[in-house]
Amino acid sequence: MRILLDEAGLSWDEAWKITQGTFAYTNHTVVPEALEEWSVSIFEELLPRHLQIIYEINFNFLKEVREKFSFSEEVISKLSIIRDSPDKRIRMANLAIVSCHSVNGVAALHSNILKQLIFNDFYTIFPKKFKNVTNGITFRRWIRHANPLLSSLISDRIGDDWILHNEKIVEIEKFAEDHEFLNDWSHIKWFNKQLLAKFIKSEYGLNVSTDSIFDVHIKRFHEYKRQLLNVLHVITLYNRIKENPRYDATPRTVIFAGKAAPAYHIAKLIIKLIHSVADVVNNDPVVGDKLKVIFIANYGVSLAERIIPAADLSEQISTAGLEASGTGNMKFALNGALTIGTMDGANIEIREEVGDENIFIFGLLADEVLELRASGYNPRDYYDRIPELRRVINMIAGNIFSPAEPGIFQPIIDSLMGSDYYMLLADYEDYVRVQDEVALTYRDRDKWNKMSLLNTARIAKFSSDRAIMEYAKNIWNIKPVKVKVDK
Ligand SMILES: *Cc1c(COP(=O)(O)O)cnc(C)c1O
């Protein structure tokens, strides 16, 4: 607007039309700390002309809303681009919605939550602006480059067209009953696990068995992603093994990686708890190969490329309603890992694609999370009712994992037994139940391998090529240009 008005000398109406026609807003998260609000006092000093223009945009917008709708003043103040109290701030999401011709979420559930909850009043005003484009990942990086052995096996059977035309990967589904092929399939997974085991041995000196389930939870650390729920399950398994040394556990290696924001105290503390639990579990002779826990440092794309091809189980266990899409979930399924997950983000659409019998779903639904919170959620009810859960919480509180630093994990206990905003205790029982199902299924090697193959075969929807084409068609209104390439 500033360039068009001040430098190109256009009228307000001409400039506004070009601006709205040009910009589209993709929302990537519903967590409030990510919906930016910029202080007006700083804006005034640094960008005074822009601030004038924003005030004018807001004035025009609110005037039109008042003319066309009969919102209360309370709703009008929520719609305003300027937040008045406690201090004046510019709501960047509101500015984006008003100024763009399109607003989209990044998975079907997320786009619906934007319409029904987060931006509901805007949706009333601009119903046609709101769209969905489910995220995707590039198959070139996440299988062709990261998993060359699996890529070669696929190309041996169906040719290599699938690398350019990702939807053709579905053709490997015809080998789902081919015992010999499934053997080759599982051998590649085993080999990738061997490579990761060597890396873990050389970096951390820890021996992990490639016969164990590689149970992988790698992503940024945030309470809503619930790495802590996974830790509660790890301690549960530890207790079962300790209680009954002949307990017939399916061996597991639980792998974590991920960074926490520098000032996010409790997320850092959860990372520390993982290290502390790993210290106890990995050095207990009773446990042996039945359970190992490892935190791999310095998570980033290069590490993800190493770990994902070696994963058996993909942990996608966010509190329902909070993971906009997730893309890690897609990378794992593409590489033949089975998902244990909640009905959140793109997990819902992954289930639709691979089939309910080829994914492990548990936990509250997004609307159940909201209902339970509204009706007065009390985590203590679960603590009182579920003995295995109570024991795990008591162990963390009782410094079993922190003998040298008593009390250090108290903030985690206070969070779980206080509001437990992310409802770990409410989902614990169902999570453990489905993890037991995972362990049983893993023992049926033919069944697991077939499920693994079907995940890879049916994941083509989550190609970024498909996502980009949808942006081009439905949001940018552009058509592909044919380019001649010399071969
Ligand atoms: C894919 C990816 C993510 C996103 O993972 P989610 O599980 O969807 O949160 C984050 N970081 C890296 C390095 C990734 O490769």
Side-chain angles (χ1 to χ4, degrees):
M1 284 297 286
R2 193 196 64 76
I3 291 168
L4 296 177
L5 290 170
D6 298 353
E7 292 181 22
L10 299 190
S11 73
W12 180 276
D13 289 349
E14 289 170 313
W16 184 238
K17 193 167 172 235
I18 293 170
T19 299
Q20 277 197 315
T22 303
F23 288 103
Y25 169 37
T26 301
N27 174 280
H28 288 270
T29 172
V30 300
V31 295
E33 67 263 28
L35 292 175
E36 290 177 40
E37 294 184 346
W38 291 9
S39 151
V40 165
S41 62
I42 294 173
F43 223 102
E44 246 162 11
E45 208 173 295
L46 296 177
L47 299 164
R49 175 59 178 146
H50 294 76
L51 186 60
Q52 274 183 334
I53 293 169
I54 290 170
Y55 280 144
E56 185 74 14
I57 292 170
N58 195 40
F59 178 84
N60 292 339
F61 167 61
L62 293 181
K63 182 163 170 277
E64 201 178 318
V65 167
R66 285 197 169 98
E67 281 163 11
K68 291 195 182 153
F69 299 88
S70 47
F71 289 125
S72 68
E73 277 310 303
E74 195 193 327
V75 172
I76 297 275
S77 80
K78 278 196 294 174
L79 287 166
S80 175
I81 294 166
I82 312 298
R83 181 180 121 172
D84 263 317
S85 65
D87 57 321
K88 267 194 142 187
R89 292 191 200 173
I90 301 169
R91 295 172 170 140
M92 302 308 285
N94 294 29
L95 178 60
I97 296 169
V98 172
S99 310
C100 290
H101 66 277
S102 167
V103 177
N104 75 283
V106 291
L109 174 74
H110 170 57
S111 294
N112 284 329
I113 287 173
L114 294 184
K115 290 194 281 193
Q116 303 307 328
L117 252 46
I118 313 286
F119 301 136
N120 181 250
D121 297 321
F122 284 107
Y123 178 55
T124 305
I125 300 168
F126 307 119
K128 288 198 189 125
K129 270 195 197 184
F130 285 77
K131 300 172 194 174
N132 173 250
V133 181
T134 299
N135 274 162
I137 53 165
T138 163
F139 283 31
R140 262 81 62 186
R141 177 181 295 276
W142 292 109
I143 181 164
R144 181 62 273 258
H145 172 71
N147 199 342
L149 294 175
L150 197 64
S151 298
S152 296
L153 178 65
I154 295 168
S155 293
D156 278 350
R157 301 299 172 112
I158 64 168
D160 57 11
D161 268 9
W162 65 274
I163 297 168
L164 214 53
H165 304 283
N166 298 157
E167 67 283 354
K168 294 193 176 171
I169 201 170
V170 72
E171 288 172 20
I172 51 158
E173 186 164 339
K174 60 177 178 256
F175 297 100
E177 306 294 336
D178 181 333
H179 190 78
E180 201 184 320
F181 181 78
L182 289 178
N183 249 355
D184 292 349
W185 187 266
S186 73
H187 190 76
I188 286 168
K189 180 64 76 180
W190 177 85
F191 192 86
N192 289 337
K193 287 167 77 173
Q194 200 71 27
L195 291 179
L196 182 59
K198 274 194 190 134
F199 176 76
I200 291 171
K201 174 72 180 171
S202 74
E203 294 290 309
Y204 298 97
L206 181 71
N207 290 308
V208 301
S209 162
T210 42
D211 293 331
S212 65
I213 305 174
F214 276 22
D215 174 347
V216 181
H217 205 162
I218 58 173
K219 49 184 74 246
R220 286 176 303 109
F221 269 74
H222 195 292
E223 287 165 282
Y224 86 77
K225 292 175 182 278
R226 300 202 294 192
Q227 284 92 352
L228 182 55
L229 178 58
N230 189 339
V231 177
L232 299 182
H233 175 247
V234 167
I235 300 172
T236 304
L237 291 181
Y238 176 64
N239 289 339
R240 288 178 181 177
I241 294 164
K242 289 290 279 185
E243 226 151 72
N244 177 5
R246 277 168 305 178
Y247 172 65
D248 191 17
T250 309
R252 273 194 205 240
T253 301
V254 184
I255 298 167
F256 291 94
K259 290 168 182 169
Y264 195 170
H265 238 93
I266 192 105
K268 298 271 185 190
L269 194 57
I270 292 166
I271 295 175
K272 182 174 171 69
L273 177 63
I274 291 168
H275 282 93
S276 303
V277 170
D279 264 353
V280 170
V281 169
N282 296 348
N283 296 305
D284 191 324
V286 174
V287 174
D289 272 351
K290 288 178 183 167
L291 185 61
K292 286 279 171 279
V293 181
I294 178 83
F295 182 94
I296 305 180
N298 197 24
Y299 184 54
V301 166
S302 305
L303 194 58
E305 287 175 0
R306 240 184 222 280
I307 296 173
I308 292 171
D312 294 306
L313 186 66
S314 160
E315 297 271 355
Q316 307 299 337
I317 63 175
S318 52
T319 315
L322 289 170
E323 188 72 270
S325 161
T327 53
N329 47 6
M330 302 166 187
K331 301 167 195 167
F332 280 101
L334 177 60
N335 283 277
L338 305 190
T339 302
I340 183 165
T342 47
M343 288 291 272
D344 199 15
N347 297 352
I348 296 171
E349 291 159 77
I350 291 175
R351 171 173 168 271
E352 256 168 43
E353 294 296 307
V354 304
D356 190 44
E357 66 286 6
N358 297 308
I359 190 167
F360 298 96
I361 296 290
F362 73 95
L364 296 169
L365 305 178
D367 51 357
E368 293 171 338
V369 166
L370 297 180
E371 278 165 32
L372 182 55
R373 194 171 289 142
S375 69
Y377 169 57
N378 184 8
R380 267 174 205 277
D381 296 344
Y382 300 85
Y383 174 89
D384 290 338
R385 186 171 60 75
I386 308 165
E388 279 195 309
L389 171 63
R390 189 161 61 241
R391 172 125 189 255
V392 168
I393 302 237
N394 289 347
M395 286 166 75
I396 301 171
N399 298 302
I400 300 296
F401 305 105
S402 49
E405 294 169 284
I408 188 143
F409 296 124
Q410 195 55 39
I412 289 175
I413 299 300
D414 293 344
S415 161
L416 290 176
M417 301 300 288
S419 77
D420 187 22
Y421 184 79
Y422 298 100
M423 297 194 169
L424 283 71
L425 271 56
D427 274 346
Y428 168 86
E429 195 172 36
D430 206 29
Y431 180 53
V432 172
R433 177 185 68 78
V434 173
Q435 283 283 24
D436 290 344
E437 222 177 278
V438 167
L440 266 181
T441 310
Y442 190 77
R443 293 173 173 232
D444 186 343
R445 299 307 301 141
D446 274 346
K447 183 175 180 192
W448 185 280
N449 291 333
K450 182 180 167 190
M451 290 170 77
S452 165
L453 169 67
L454 290 178
N455 269 262
T456 304
R458 297 177 177 177
I459 209 67
K461 171 177 171 183
F462 305 97
S463 163
S464 51
D465 293 356
R466 186 272 312 151
I468 295 290
M469 286 306 282
E470 285 184 17
Y471 278 101
K473 211 166 152 233
N474 303 332
I475 292 177
W476 305 328
N477 296 311
I478 55 170
K479 290 203 175 71
V481 175
K482 286 232 187 265
V483 183
K484 272 199 182 147
V485 182
D486 295 331
K487 289 228 170 134

